């Protein structure tokens, strides 16, 4: 598949902006704002070391399971995805795939990223692949195209990485001592600390937690002690944010099980029942969330993914390689119970809720209102369209549910949730969608054409709300 040579770039300065008012909102109130990327999976070591990528394939294709899924769907061999093919061969297979991604967000992202980072407006196809590959590589060899330069190019002010409790955070601490204006903070992601469903793996993890915390973990109380010690270490290393990825949250009104007995069993590598596992997760999370509250942190919950569905590929390639999807778990009742269990003692901190199944948009949007208590603007947030939902339809539905059920004006906006240093134009994508949505309402007569008022709301959503919501200060580091 190829394009005719007469075709012009479709990503113009007014891309996705379908009214004059939308264009004004974007260009005058959103376009030039800095980026606060409060949740991503960038490797902190590659930021600190200011890595220089040798090829565009290393920077753009490695680790990107969005692209991998598309290539597999088209029938591209794994050799050219995660296999032994050369970087150029992998890029050529991606170029072959791109024209077939029509109406998938990958088509927009691909050309937006080529434009914003490399100034390339030509469509990526098999015919243009070699020229574009060489042009990107030439740029990547320049000093300003190292990782820190790529972030600077997108006006990134803050990045929050995703870090396990056992991580040393050495990269964050050393980077803080440097001269970069970029702020890089860790985020506490303790999923493995309550993953009792696999006793063998869990006990191996506990041994590592013992080592970094210098606490012998022989009881549930010891486990909490070790995690609290790591939370304090993270706090001193600048962290003010926790994140959790679960199928759903759990809630128990009564202590159906003895938590110490459950810990002893899993510590002895004995399997727990499904109900016991849920109780273990609930008690661990509840204790952790109270610790976050005591330190003024923000907590995030990414809920609804069904992971590692293909066991053959899991054994072959490992996790996070493109075999996760949207789940259909019950969310509302246990989510309400869990949040209420913290709020009862006024120990519910700022919270961001992300759903992966779009059927739950209104559930999550209304849930936030149950626990907003007037103590802070937008204390509970319905998070931006996540993963499979960070495309036009998914983001518009999230924005509409939020508008209808809560206050769009309090929203803290977009994040990349990405492993790629070339993914930051997704903030632009979100900003364009937001401005177009509001512009369409003005055009329909649903909102007054008050540029300054709506422009201020757009600016707040794109930047200022997040800046005020999070405690991202270089003074947080106690090094």
């Amino acid at each position: 598949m190829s394009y005719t040579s007469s075709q012009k770039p479709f990503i113009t300065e007014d891309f996705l902006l379908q009214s004059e008012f939308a264009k004004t909102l974007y260009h005058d109130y959103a376009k030039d704002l800095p980026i606060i990327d409060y949740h991503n999976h960038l490797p902190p070591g590659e930021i600190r070391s200011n890595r220089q990528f040798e090829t565009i394939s290393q920077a753009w294709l490695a680790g990107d399971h969005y692209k991998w899924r598309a290539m597999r769907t088209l029938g591209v061999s794994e050799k050219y995805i995660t296999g032994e093919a050369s970087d150029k061969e992998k890029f050529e297979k991606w170029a072959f795939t791109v024209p077939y991604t029509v109406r998938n967000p990958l088509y927009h992202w691909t050309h937006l990223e080529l434009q914003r980072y490399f100034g390339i407006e030509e469509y990526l196809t098999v015919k243009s692949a070699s020229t574009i590959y060489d042009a990107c590589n030439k740029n990547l060899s320049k000093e300003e195209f190292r990782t820190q330069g790529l972030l600077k190019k997108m006006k990134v002010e803050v990045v929050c990485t995703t870090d396990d409790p056992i991580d040393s955070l050495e990269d964050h601490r050393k980077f803080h001592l440097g001269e970069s204006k970029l702020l890089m903070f860790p985020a506490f992601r303790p999923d493995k600390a309550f993953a009792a469903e696999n006793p063998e793996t869990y006990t191996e993890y506990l041994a590592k937690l013992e080592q970094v915390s210098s606490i012998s973990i022989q009881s549930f109380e010891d486990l909490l002690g070790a995690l609290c010690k790591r939370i304090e270490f993270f706090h001193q290393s600048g962290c003010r944010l926790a994140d959790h990825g679960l199928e759903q949250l759990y809630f128990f009104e009564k202590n159906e099980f003895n938590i110490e007995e459950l810990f002893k069993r899993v510590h002895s590598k004995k399997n727990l029942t499904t109900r016991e596992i849920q109780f273990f997760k609930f008690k661990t999370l509840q204790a952790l969330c109270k610790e976050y509250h005591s330190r003024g942190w923000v907590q995030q919950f990414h809920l609804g993914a069904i992971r590692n569905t293909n066991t053959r590929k899991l054994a072959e390639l490992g996790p996070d390689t493109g075999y996760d999807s949207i789940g259909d778990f019950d969310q509302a009742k246990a989510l309400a119970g869990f949040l209420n269990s913290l709020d009862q003692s006024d120990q519910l901190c700022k919270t961001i809720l992300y759903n992966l199944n779009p059927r739950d948009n209104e559930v999550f949007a209304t849930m936030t209102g149950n626990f907003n208590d007037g103590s802070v603007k937008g204390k509970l947030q319905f998070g931006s369209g996540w993963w499979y939902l960070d495309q036009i339809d998914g983001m518009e539905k999230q924005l509409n549910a939020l508008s209808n059920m809560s206050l769009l004006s309090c929203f803290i906006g977009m994040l990349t949730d990405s492993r790629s240093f070339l993914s930051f134009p997704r903030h632009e994508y979100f900003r364009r969608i937001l401005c177009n949505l509001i512009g369409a309402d003005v055009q329909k007569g649903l909102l007054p054409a008050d540029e300054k008022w709506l422009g201020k709301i757009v600016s707040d959503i794109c930047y200022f709300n997040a800046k005020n919501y999070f405690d991202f200060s270089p003074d947080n580091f106690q090094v």
Side-chain angles (χ1 to χ4, degrees):
M1 181 180 287
S2 63
Y3 304 95
T4 62
S5 59
S6 62
Q7 287 177 312
K8 297 180 180 180
F10 70 99
I11 297 182
T12 65
E13 64 177 10
D14 294 328
F15 177 57
L16 300 181
L17 305 173
Q18 298 172 337
S19 69
E20 291 304 315
F21 201 87
K23 295 173 186 177
T24 298
L25 287 178
Y26 176 72
H27 291 296
D28 294 351
Y29 296 94
K31 178 182 177 181
D32 295 324
L33 290 171
I35 288 173
I36 295 175
D37 201 53
Y38 52 88
H39 176 68
N40 61 62
H41 297 271
L42 296 178
E46 294 185 4
I47 297 175
R48 181 182 71 84
S49 66
N50 204 16
R51 178 183 175 182
Q52 186 163 41
F53 295 102
E54 295 178 5
T55 69
I56 181 63
S57 296
Q58 293 176 12
W60 211 28
L61 305 183
D64 191 337
H65 46 80
Y66 287 93
K67 293 184 177 74
W68 296 353
R69 285 170 68 96
M71 294 169 78
R72 290 171 186 142
T73 299
L74 194 59
V76 174
S77 167
E78 196 67 33
K79 171 185 176 181
Y80 300 99
I81 301 172
T82 62
E84 70 278 9
S86 69
D87 283 356
K88 186 169 186 178
E89 288 173 323
K90 289 178 178 179
F91 185 82
E92 289 171 341
K93 286 297 183 182
W94 173 239
F96 165 75
T97 303
V98 169
Y100 295 97
T101 65
V102 59
R103 301 198 78 238
N104 186 290
L106 283 166
Y107 190 79
H108 286 167
W109 295 344
T110 294
H111 293 100
L112 196 58
E113 289 159 11
L114 286 174
Q115 270 199 35
R116 294 299 175 262
Y117 290 100
F118 305 103
I120 295 172
E121 295 185 345
E122 187 176 4
Y123 296 149
L124 181 57
T125 67
V126 170
K127 290 184 178 180
S128 64
S130 182
T131 300
I132 291 177
Y133 183 79
D134 290 341
C136 290
N137 290 348
K138 183 178 180 180
N139 277 311
L140 288 170
S141 68
K142 299 175 183 177
E143 187 68 20
E144 62 267 30
F145 280 80
R146 289 176 177 268
T147 53
Q148 293 178 30
L150 293 172
L151 294 171
K152 182 179 180 181
K153 186 181 288 285
M154 293 295 107
K155 299 181 180 178
V156 180
E157 185 176 281
V158 175
V159 290
C160 275
T161 60
T162 303
D163 309 279
D164 191 276
I166 66 173
D167 289 347
S168 71
L169 305 186
E170 177 183 4
D171 293 313
H172 299 83
R173 297 166 78 93
K174 288 185 176 179
F175 182 77
H176 169 68
L177 297 174
E179 298 179 355
S180 176
K181 293 182 179 179
L182 173 71
L183 296 176
M184 178 173 69
F185 297 98
F188 189 76
R189 178 77 176 244
D191 293 7
K192 293 179 181 179
F194 46 79
E197 57 270 24
N198 189 328
E200 188 74 32
T201 304
Y202 187 65
T203 52
E204 292 174 3
Y205 179 79
L206 289 182
K208 297 175 183 177
L209 183 58
E210 282 185 330
Q211 187 174 5
V212 297
S213 66
S214 300
I215 292 178
S216 176
I217 303 175
Q218 302 301 317
S219 67
F220 184 72
E221 184 178 355
D222 293 338
L223 170 64
L224 296 184
L227 289 171
C228 288
K229 191 170 181 180
R230 296 307 292 171
I231 289 173
E232 181 57 29
F233 171 73
F234 268 64
H235 190 81
Q236 293 177 10
S237 302
C239 180
R240 297 296 184 271
L241 189 66
D243 182 46
H244 315 81
L246 302 106
E247 294 177 347
Q248 57 194 147
L249 281 170
Y250 306 104
F251 172 68
F252 291 76
E253 287 191 38
K254 300 178 181 179
N255 288 328
E256 293 186 15
F257 308 99
N258 183 311
I259 189 63
E260 290 292 355
E261 288 298 322
L262 294 186
F263 180 86
K264 288 179 181 177
R265 282 169 53 197
V266 74
H267 192 259
S268 301
K269 300 183 181 180
K270 296 179 180 178
N271 291 321
L272 304 182
T273 67
T274 298
R275 187 73 174 166
E276 288 170 339
I277 292 168
Q278 293 173 353
F279 184 77
F280 189 89
K281 291 179 185 291
F282 165 64
K283 296 297 286 186
T284 308
L285 270 170
Q286 188 183 52
L288 290 175
C289 291
K290 291 179 179 179
E291 289 295 325
Y292 307 152
H293 178 270
S294 71
R295 290 169 174 80
W297 286 16
V298 176
Q299 60 188 9
Q300 301 177 98
F301 294 99
H302 287 85
L303 305 176
I306 180 169
R307 300 179 186 269
N308 302 322
T309 60
N310 188 324
T311 54
R312 177 170 64 90
K313 288 298 183 179
L314 177 63
E316 179 184 339
L317 302 174
D320 301 322
T321 50
Y323 297 96
D324 309 327
S325 59
I326 295 172
D328 57 354
F329 308 101
D330 289 336
Q331 300 289 354
K333 192 170 183 179
L335 175 57
F338 180 82
L339 296 175
N340 187 58
S341 73
L342 298 169
D343 189 71
Q344 280 181 326
S345 55
D346 197 17
Q347 291 178 288
L348 177 61
C349 63
K350 294 178 185 176
T351 303
I352 310 170
L353 303 175
Y354 307 88
N355 62 298
L356 192 53
N357 194 321
R359 72 171 191 187
D360 296 321
N361 281 347
E362 285 74 15
V363 171
F364 279 53
T366 55
M367 188 65 67
T368 62
N370 296 337
F371 299 98
N372 277 321
D373 56 10
S375 61
V376 63
K377 177 182 175 180
K379 178 179 177 179
L380 267 75
Q381 293 277 332
F382 174 31
S384 184
W386 166 46
W387 201 340
Y388 292 109
L389 305 184
D390 62 353
Q391 25 75 9
I392 295 175
D393 181 63
M395 286 195 276
E396 286 184 347
K397 285 178 177 176
Q398 187 271 344
L399 290 167
N400 284 328
L402 176 58
S403 301
N404 289 328
M405 308 295 172
S406 185
L407 295 181
L408 176 65
S409 58
C410 295
F411 184 35
I412 56 174
M414 185 60 175
L415 58 144
T416 63
D417 189 32
S418 176
R419 292 169 171 80
S420 171
F421 285 93
L422 300 182
S423 66
F424 284 82
R426 292 186 197 177
H427 281 268
E428 175 187 337
Y429 200 60
F430 166 83
R431 291 173 179 182
R432 289 178 178 273
I433 291 167
L434 171 68
C435 292
N436 189 61
L437 203 63
I438 295 176
D441 280 354
V442 171
Q443 191 173 41
K444 295 172 186 176
L446 299 176
L447 289 172
D450 188 328
E451 178 191 321
K452 290 186 177 180
W453 167 54
L454 292 174
K456 174 65 164 59
I457 288 175
V458 164
S459 296
D460 285 346
I461 294 169
C462 294
Y463 174 71
F464 291 103
N465 284 345
K467 189 172 182 66
N468 294 326
Y469 188 78
F470 297 101
D471 177 17
F472 291 147
S473 167
D475 296 335
N476 291 345
F477 286 88
Q478 302 173 33
V479 293

